Amino acid sequence: MRLPPTTTTLLISFLVPTTSAHGRITNITTPSGAVYQGWDPASTGPQNLTAWRAANLGNIFVKPSQFNTSHIACHYDATPGALHIPTAPGDVLNLQWNEWPASHKGPVLTYLAACPGSCAEAAKETLAWVKIDEVGWLNSSGADVLPLGGTWGSDVLRANAASWTVKVPEVLGEGSYVLRHEIVALHVAEEVDGAQAYPQCVNLRVASSAGGEARKLEGGVVGNKLYGMRDKGVLVDIHGNVTGYENPGPKVWEFATRIKQPNQ
Ligand SMILES: [Cu+2]
């Protein structure tokens, strides 16, 4: 946890418990009510999960100077989950985080990448990510209240008890996919290498759609090409009077089926 080098630093430091972890996905729920565990870095022993494991997930972040490495795909030293969540086009998945600090404002981004076979054998270096959802800066509501910066995707997530919903695109073709869900915290993003990416991955097995208009994911971007250190949405000062924001990464897929979050 790093705090912005502004006059508000002292005040913010009273509001943010410094011993707190940053947060991670604890479980994913499907419309049938099935619950799939996220990866818990604190637990030991073999874990047969749909979630990818990574080094110290949640307590550390991927820095912009690492955006040109494969670490940005699914967090540091990530390895694929062994299992897949059975799902279908049009399903709304609920991603439950354990917590997220109020100070860590920024966009909430979700991507999919197709696996050539089972995602359990996927190579993170070659997965091509297609953005299916993004919520960045929303408005200046609360901009004069600590922590400064107005209302962001991360605030919506917090307003929903640290949960996020994402819809499997209604036209998505049958197959195995990695879902990549990420918060980019911008509280020190005015410094070069100050933004903090918190990506997490989970495997999906998408059943065939009834409609027969199934589409392949196209135009994906490999992880180390997703973001640059000086992208507008990465090197940005959110402590002033924010009037707009350009989300990092590619445009949302034209065939994605975006849904509004509660409290958005
Ligand atoms: Cu932090």
Side-chain angles (χ1 to χ4, degrees):
M1 171 155 320
R2 292 172 67 213
L3 295 164
T6 68
T7 50
T8 58
T9 298
L10 262 178
L11 278 167
I12 290 173
S13 66
F14 286 114
L15 302 175
V16 179
T18 51
T19 52
S20 157
H22 289 91
R24 61 181 179 82
I25 294 175
T26 52
N27 60 67
I28 303 104
T29 309
T30 69
S32 69
V35 180
Y36 297 85
Q37 283 188 330
W39 182 59
D40 181 355
S43 77
T44 55
Q47 296 183 62
N48 258 355
L49 298 177
T50 64
W52 287 46
R53 53 169 69 216
N56 200 22
L57 191 72
N59 287 310
I60 55 170
F61 48 85
V62 182
K63 294 159 56 160
S65 52
Q66 301 284 308
F67 286 179
N68 60 354
T69 73
S70 63
H71 295 309
I72 190 59
C74 298
H75 219 304
Y76 283 107
D77 298 324
T79 54
L83 308 176
H84 296 71
I85 295 176
T87 184
D91 276 0
V92 174
L93 306 177
N94 188 73
L95 310 170
Q96 181 66 54
W97 292 64
N98 58 339
E99 60 183 340
W100 191 254
S103 61
H104 286 40
K105 288 177 181 284
V108 181
L109 312 166
T110 309
Y111 298 79
L112 285 176
C115 300
S118 163
C119 293
E121 275 91 50
K124 61 194 172 189
E125 296 82 6
T126 58
L127 288 171
W129 301 103
V130 173
K131 194 187 271 173
I132 61 165
D133 182 43
E134 61 180 5
V135 179
W137 181 80
L138 289 166
N139 56 61
S140 55
S141 161
D144 52 347
V145 180
L146 288 176
L148 304 174
T151 303
W152 291 78
S154 59
D155 295 303
V156 174
L157 181 135
R158 283 174 52 81
N160 291 314
S163 72
W164 198 263
T165 53
V166 64
K167 193 170 201 174
V168 179
E170 284 167 354
V171 299
L172 187 64
E174 181 179 8
S176 299
Y177 298 89
V178 181
L179 178 87
R180 177 180 185 275
H181 186 61
E182 175 184 45
I183 304 176
V184 182
L186 300 172
H187 53 301
V188 269
E190 70 276 13
E191 294 175 19
V192 174
D193 210 19
Q196 307 180 351
Y198 298 83
Q200 294 174 65
C201 293
V202 60
N203 297 333
L204 307 181
R205 183 149 290 142
V206 177
S208 123
S209 72
E213 45 167 342
R215 291 188 175 272
K216 283 192 170 179
L217 277 179
E218 281 174 343
V221 179
V222 292
N224 63 5
K225 298 270 195 279
L226 276 178
Y227 311 135
M229 281 185 80
R230 292 174 186 275
D231 287 359
K232 277 186 190 167
V234 171
L235 181 58
V236 58
D237 185 352
I238 68 161
H239 304 293
N241 180 28
V242 180
T243 55
Y245 175 72
E246 190 176 300
N247 286 305
K251 285 194 167 25
V252 174
W253 192 38
E254 61 177 309
F255 302 109
T257 319
R258 296 172 71 182
I259 51 173
K260 227 175 184 189
Q261 306 300 309
N263 301 305
Q264 182 180 333

